Amino acid sequence: MTATDTHRAIEAIFRIESPKLIAGLTRMVRDVGQAEELAQDALVTALEKWPESGVPENPGAWLMTTAKNRALDRIRRHKRLERKRDELGREAEVQQERAAPDLEAAMDDDVGDDLLRLVFISCHPILSTEARVALTLRLLGGLTTEEIARAFLVPEPTIAQRIVRAKRTLSEAKVPFEVPRGTELAGRLSSVLEVIYLVFNEGYAATAGDDWVRPELCEDALRLGRILAELVPREAEVHGLVSLMEIQASRLKARVGPSGEPILLLDQNRARWDQLLIRRGLAALRRAEALGVALGPYVLQAAIAACHARAKTADETDWKRIATLYEDLVHLTQSPVVELNRAVAVSMAYGPAEGLAILDELAAQGALTGYHLLPSVRGDLLSKLGRFDDARSEIERAASLTRNERERKLLLERAHALKNRGRA
């Protein structure tokens, strides 16, 4: 393995392991900013040593051990400075040592629910909603600032400022590393759900890079969602989110071809869908509906996903039901992205001209300027209407906007095919 290959392997490993590193370190140092610094220090050490020694058999454990040792050194150094500064007498010094926890033993505690605790810290009400989501995506999802900016459809410097300020605010407030209870839990739940789903979505359809899907992020999000569902069993939206993620995760193996190329929903081999995850998703949806409350956004999205999961073939999909569910979802969320999805469902249920009218109105509003899926969907509907040159132009624009290499290649292939059809 060349040095370049080793560096790429290290970066890929760190991407997967960093949330666990930061969560475990935060439990110890009680400061997310310091925990992230320690994790980054471990990465730097790996970049220095692994090209010569090779990638260890358990790279995650190696990184955690390295980060723990740095944390212990920092804690001990801080204690020594405190003792010198306060000029403690020997008796007080001995008492302090007896009262201090066994740091090495504490570092070896099971990770347990550290990731979930980290989510709730990042979603603390002392932060703005935007900062909560951005920070958790950074700490839990291991996403870069650029990728988070793409998820938010806002400038990268804005996200960078949110993350820096959020870590500083949490540090200054000395937010406890714990899962909240009672009314505080309820108040922070919606933000937590948003964060978990954004992490899942980054795994389900990566915003940038060479991979179309990143299953490890989906797995982390699903784990957190399942834990949360047991923690708050009377919350329909939690079960709705779990249902949605289970059903969407069931398609992961069918979403990519042998070479990693994207395969869109209607072209997928449904025999490759994971039936166990579908059954789990449908069961979670039933739990949500059995609570007898008004359907929230996640339950509605889960109901839409269930329509796809129940259809044995693409032609059997109940698009009219899906279009109705999306209409209800638009009323709840007022989201232009949801309206974009409704346009797709309407086009499938009632024809491409109906869906295109919704898209044209969205484009006129300017809410999704720079969002590649708008011209991508618009190009698809124009193609169905026989307007091949217009469709090709839209899909080429979508290809120029996406940051995912797999998706760009797929879009350019579609544009090339339309160019040939336009000449026919």
Side-chain angles (χ1 to χ4, degrees):
M1 181 181 289
T2 66
T4 300
D5 291 336
T6 302
H7 277 211
R8 287 176 179 168
I10 294 169
E11 290 172 359
I13 291 166
F14 187 76
R15 186 96 178 218
I16 295 170
E17 299 293 339
S18 63
K20 299 171 187 175
L21 283 173
I22 295 169
L25 292 165
T26 301
R27 171 164 49 86
M28 295 292 85
V29 301
R30 305 292 169 172
D31 186 297
V32 292
Q34 287 187 29
E36 189 177 18
E37 289 175 9
L38 290 164
Q40 289 291 338
D41 287 346
L43 172 63
V44 171
T45 304
L47 288 169
E48 293 172 350
K49 294 187 175 182
W50 290 3
E52 294 183 3
S53 63
V55 177
E57 187 173 336
N58 190 338
W62 190 100
L63 288 167
M64 181 61 84
T65 298
T66 301
K68 284 178 183 178
N69 289 336
R70 290 185 178 275
L72 285 167
D73 289 343
R74 181 175 293 190
I75 291 169
R76 288 168 178 150
R77 185 167 59 250
H78 179 69
K79 285 191 171 184
R80 285 196 299 269
L81 289 173
E82 279 190 339
R83 286 198 294 268
K84 290 179 181 178
R85 183 192 61 196
D86 297 334
E87 296 181 350
L88 295 175
R90 180 59 187 166
E91 182 178 349
E93 185 178 313
V94 170
Q95 290 175 351
Q96 181 187 33
E97 291 296 329
R98 288 174 178 170
D102 186 335
L103 295 174
E104 286 84 351
M107 285 290 190
D108 290 332
D109 284 349
D110 292 336
V111 172
D113 296 336
D114 282 349
L115 287 175
L116 184 63
R117 295 187 186 103
L118 187 60
V119 171
F120 273 102
I121 283 182
S122 302
C123 296
H124 197 280
I126 199 171
L127 304 175
S128 68
T129 300
E130 294 82 5
R132 297 174 205 175
V133 176
L135 182 62
T136 306
L137 284 172
R138 175 63 174 268
L139 299 180
L140 177 71
L143 309 188
T144 66
T145 303
E146 181 183 5
E147 289 168 338
I148 300 170
R150 288 290 298 173
F152 281 129
L153 304 177
V154 297
E156 186 176 343
T158 301
I159 295 298
Q161 290 174 4
R162 287 177 187 171
I163 292 172
V164 169
R165 291 171 182 167
K167 288 191 291 188
R168 184 187 305 126
T169 300
L170 291 172
S171 177
E172 292 173 351
K174 301 186 185 303
V175 173
F177 188 61
E178 62 187 17
V179 176
R181 295 287 184 266
T183 56
E184 186 182 1
L185 172 63
R188 287 162 62 181
L189 192 57
S190 63
S191 181
V192 171
L193 295 178
E194 182 181 8
V195 167
I196 291 174
Y197 192 40
L198 279 170
V199 172
F200 180 89
N201 273 338
E202 181 59 31
Y204 189 72
T207 57
D210 296 327
D211 297 319
W212 175 238
V213 297
R214 294 167 55 194
E216 69 279 0
L217 288 180
C218 294
E219 291 168 6
D220 277 342
L222 261 172
R223 175 181 175 274
L224 290 168
R226 291 165 181 163
I227 291 172
L228 198 58
E230 298 307 314
L231 184 65
V232 286
R234 300 294 300 173
E235 294 289 341
E237 278 290 82
V238 176
H239 297 301
L241 176 57
V242 171
S243 171
L244 176 59
M245 294 192 298
E246 299 276 15
I247 295 172
Q248 288 184 321
S250 74
R251 308 175 197 148
L252 281 172
K253 291 181 180 179
R255 277 176 60 76
V256 294
S259 302
E261 69 274 13
I263 301 177
L264 302 181
L265 176 63
L266 297 183
D267 299 323
Q268 290 171 16
N269 178 2
R270 300 191 176 208
R272 300 194 67 199
W273 288 3
D274 189 320
Q275 294 301 312
L276 174 60
L277 289 177
I278 289 175
R279 288 195 295 272
R280 293 184 66 149
L282 295 177
L285 179 59
R286 288 192 294 270
R287 288 181 71 181
E289 293 172 337
L291 291 171
V293 298
L295 302 186
Y298 291 111
V299 179
L300 286 171
Q301 290 178 79
I304 292 168
C307 288
H308 291 296
R310 292 182 178 119
K312 294 182 180 180
T313 67
D315 291 339
E316 294 179 25
T317 306
D318 188 350
W319 286 107
K320 290 185 178 179
R321 168 67 174 159
I322 292 174
T324 299
L325 289 168
Y326 267 124
E327 187 173 3
D328 293 339
L329 191 57
V330 168
H331 289 318
L332 274 181
T333 65
Q334 301 297 310
S335 166
V337 174
V338 174
E339 183 74 347
L340 173 64
N341 290 327
R342 184 175 81 88
V344 174
V346 167
S347 73
M348 298 297 293
Y350 304 105
E354 295 292 326
L356 186 61
I358 298 172
L359 293 182
D360 289 344
E361 185 176 346
L362 264 178
Q365 294 170 357
L368 294 178
T369 301
Y371 188 49
H372 72 283
L373 289 182
L374 177 57
S376 175
V377 174
R378 195 168 185 276
D380 183 56
L381 298 189
L382 287 168
S383 173
K384 290 178 180 178
L385 291 169
R387 296 168 57 183
F388 301 121
D389 289 339
D390 292 338
R392 176 170 56 84
S393 177
E394 285 290 271
I395 291 176
E396 286 176 346
R397 187 160 72 90
S400 72
L401 292 172
T402 184
R403 303 298 296 274
N404 186 282
E405 292 302 322
R406 297 284 187 179
E407 192 169 23
R408 179 181 291 110
K409 182 178 179 182
L410 176 67
L411 289 166
L412 290 175
E413 288 173 354
R414 286 172 57 195
H416 181 72
L418 286 168
K419 185 176 182 179
N420 293 335
R421 292 189 68 180
R423 290 173 176 172

